[in-house]
Amino acid sequence: MTWSEMQPLLAQACTETLVMVGWSTLIAVVGGLPLGILLVLTDKGGLLQNTVVNKVIGQIVNVGRSLPFIILMVALMNFTRWVTGTTIGSEAAIVPLAIGGIPFFARLVETAVREVDHGLVEAVQAMGGNTWTVVRKVLVPEALPSLIASTTTTVIALIGYSAMAGTVGGGGLGDLAVRYGYQRFETGLMWITVAILAVVISLIQFAGDFAARALHRRGARSGPGPRLRLLKGEEPATAEVGKVA
C-alpha cells in the first residue's frame, strides 16, 4: 500500500478517534466530577456524611472500574443499540467509552479533592459558607491543578480504550490497525498508526502537565490562601475592638 493510499484512511481514522475520545472525555468529566466530589462529601467526617450513600456510590464506581473495557463493550451492546441505533462505528463506541471513563475519572477526582487542606474548608464554614460554597470556592479551585492532571490521565486512558474498541468495529486508529495492519498484513500502516498514537499521547501529556504546572504556579503567586485572606479581613475589626477596650 502506497502513502497516497494510506493518507485518506489515516485521516478518517484520526478524525474518528478524536471524535470518540473528545465526546467520551466530556461526558466522563461531566459525570465523574460531581460523583468524585460526592464520594468525598459523604465520607466519614465529610460535609454531607452519609455512610450508606458513600458505600453505594463507592461500590458502583468500583464495579465500573473493575470491568475490562472489551467486556464492558459487549455487556453494553443492547444499551448502545438503544442509544445510538447501532453497535458499530465511532458513534456507538462513545457510549461504552463514556460509561467506562466516568468511574475512572471519579476516583481520580476523589483523590485530588481529598488533598485539599481541610483548614480552608473550616475557614469558609466559619464565615457562614454552606456546602455549595465550600465546593465552589475551595474544593474545586484548590484541586484544579490535580483535576487537570486527572483529566489528562483520563484522556490518555480513553485513547487506549478507543484502540480496543476498533477490534470490534468501533472505528478509529485501532480499527484501521486491525483491518489493514493485521488482517491484510500491511505492517507499515500498522506501525504508522502506532507512531501516530504515541505522538498524540505525548502531546496530550505535555499539554496537561504544562497546564497543571501553570495553574499551580499561578496559585502560588496569588498570595495567601482563602483561609488567610479571610483571617486578614477580620484583623481590622479585631484591632478596633482592642482599641475600644
Side-chain angles (χ1 to χ4, degrees):
M1 181 178 287
T2 63
W3 174 246
S4 60
E5 294 174 325
M6 292 182 186
Q7 280 184 314
L9 296 174
L10 289 169
Q12 181 181 357
C14 288
T15 301
E16 291 176 347
T17 296
L18 290 175
V19 170
M20 286 189 294
V21 174
W23 279 107
S24 57
T25 299
L26 178 62
I27 297 171
V29 170
V30 171
L33 181 61
L35 202 60
I37 294 174
L38 195 59
L39 282 169
V40 176
L41 295 178
T42 58
D43 200 6
K44 184 178 180 180
L47 300 179
L48 301 175
Q49 181 175 331
N50 190 315
T51 304
V52 175
V53 172
N54 184 267
K55 294 296 183 183
V56 170
I57 297 175
Q59 194 60 36
I60 292 173
V61 169
N62 289 338
V63 171
R65 291 183 63 204
S66 65
L67 289 175
F69 181 71
I70 193 71
I71 296 177
L72 182 64
M73 285 191 66
V74 175
L76 292 174
M77 277 189 174
N78 290 332
F79 179 72
T80 300
R81 184 181 292 109
W82 178 73
V83 173
T84 64
T86 181
T87 58
I88 299 174
S90 57
E91 291 183 1
I94 292 173
V95 176
L97 282 171
I99 293 177
I102 288 174
F104 182 85
F105 185 67
R107 281 300 183 191
L108 295 178
V109 171
E110 180 189 12
T111 302
V113 172
R114 286 191 189 280
E115 294 176 355
V116 176
D117 185 4
H118 191 67
L120 301 178
V121 176
E122 293 176 347
V124 173
Q125 286 182 303
M127 297 297 294
N130 56 20
T131 301
W132 171 243
T133 302
V134 171
V135 171
R136 188 166 55 92
K137 295 292 188 180
V138 178
L139 296 183
V140 173
E142 291 294 323
L144 193 55
S146 296
L147 292 176
I148 295 295
S150 299
T151 303
T152 304
T153 302
T154 302
V155 172
I156 292 173
L158 289 176
I159 290 176
Y161 290 167
S162 70
M164 284 188 282
T167 62
V168 291
L173 290 169
D175 179 54
L176 183 65
V178 171
R179 285 194 295 116
Y180 287 87
Y182 177 72
Q183 295 177 351
R184 302 187 186 184
F185 303 103
E186 295 287 349
T187 307
L189 180 60
M190 183 176 66
W191 283 112
I192 290 174
T193 60
V194 171
I196 291 173
L197 287 171
V199 170
V200 169
I201 288 174
S202 298
L203 290 175
I204 291 173
Q205 186 66 62
F206 174 79
D209 291 344
F210 178 82
R213 286 195 297 267
L215 286 171
H216 183 74
R217 289 195 297 267
R218 180 181 177 184
R221 290 196 303 265
S222 64
R227 185 184 183 188
L228 294 179
R229 287 196 296 268
L230 289 171
L231 292 176
K232 287 178 68 177
E234 292 176 357
E235 285 178 0
T238 305
E240 290 180 3
V241 172
K243 290 179 180 180
V244 171

